[in-house]
Amino acid sequence: MSELVLINVSGRDKPGLTSEITGIMGRYDVRILDIGQAVIHDHLTWGILAEIPDESKAPPVIRDLLFRLHALDLQVRFAPITAEEYQQWAEGRNRARYIVTLLSRDIKAEQIARVSAITARYGLNIDNISRLSGRPSLDPAENHIACVEFSVRGAPSDARQLRSDFLHIAAEMNVDIAFQEDSIFRRNRRLVVFDMDSTLIEAEVIDELAREAGVGDQVAEITERAMQGELDFSQSFAERLGLLKGLDESVLEKIAQRLKLTEGAEHLIQRLKSLGYRTAILSGGFTYFARHLQRKLGIDYVYANELEIVDGKVTGRVSGPIVDGQRKSQLLLEIAEKEHISREQVIAVGDGANDLPMLSQAGLGVAFRAKPLVKESARHSISTLGLDAILYLIGFRESENR
């Protein structure tokens, strides 16, 4: 008869410990059923679930491990496991898996306590907790980025309410919390589509044009109501555009040069390109400015509205159909099909109500620094960090993000 033993080792980490410990077990033909290791500040926590093939071998292997680990100044604990306990555990490993990602400028104990309390309330068990971000500086003046990932298992009793609870505490504690299925697609995305205004860039270009035309307040009010979902996008767009009639074409280049990229945008796109991702701008803004960003960032596809200009003046109209929410959603699917990419492999990022159709089409839809209506409707949102926090949502560690 074999014996099942859970072995936990802790102490200061040293090179070669895994080899030392498993080398002793190997002399007794021990079978490894599970193994895990974590190192925090050079302190090792190491666990192994071992099947010792013959009960008579258990005392010698445990004795040898005790002697060697004591010599290495490590603490060890042995716990017998019954076959029934092991079977229940093994069957539980086949339950659905999810990833909970906590994003913040600084990770506080209360944040972890609140997140873990919600997972427990909905019947999810935490299998693993990992820090994806780099080791933070102790300098309070430094701009920190922090990310902790929880791997959880189980079937949430009410997934919709769970997301709502996460959204509530995220707003309360000024953090972002993402909850997504841990599927094969999570680290296998291939296409990222971006809204432009207030997503890739900090400004709403139509507001910038309006300021130059002397109608800034009027257009800004209409823009805000459209982004909040209070107005139909196409109707509000035509109304705002009409106020720009007569604006000199030379203003466009001046505005393009002063557009400021959103925090993390350049880093995110550089990293995605290095990994072979395809990228696209799907914008309700204007092609002139989207092309400017395409040249600057190396974006693969651009779809936006073509501002009509006659005799060097803006006419207050666009050429062709308006790129609204439904058009963005359609374009996402068209690009994915052209690139032979499944919808589940697409990431969509936007901030306004007209971005919701494309966010819902994508395998990973992210509302970025979005209006309340959009945050509540989207499956995922980022408000506290820059655009490159998306890399954490697809499982990249800080060491992989450079």
Side-chain angles (χ1 to χ4, degrees), residues 38 159 245 331 399:
K245 184 177 180 180
L331 287 166
S399 58

Side-chain angles (χ1 to χ4, degrees), residues 193-200 282 328 347-356 358-359 365-371 374-375 378 380-382 387 390:
V193 301
F194 297 94
D195 174 45
M196 179 175 67
D197 297 40
S198 297
T199 300
L200 274 179
L282 307 182
K328 288 185 179 187
I347 301 171
V349 191
D351 74 298
N354 66 315
D355 294 312
L356 284 172
M358 77 172 184
L359 298 187
V366 181
F368 179 72
R369 297 182 182 175
K371 310 299 184 288
V374 182
K375 289 180 68 172
H380 310 285
S381 66
I382 294 174
L387 266 181
I390 289 170

Side-chain angles (χ1 to χ4, degrees), residues 78-94:
F78 300 95
I81 304 295
T82 67
E84 291 77 13
E85 288 171 331
Y86 174 77
Q87 192 61 34
Q88 287 179 356
W89 173 82
E91 289 172 357
R93 302 294 288 183
N94 295 322

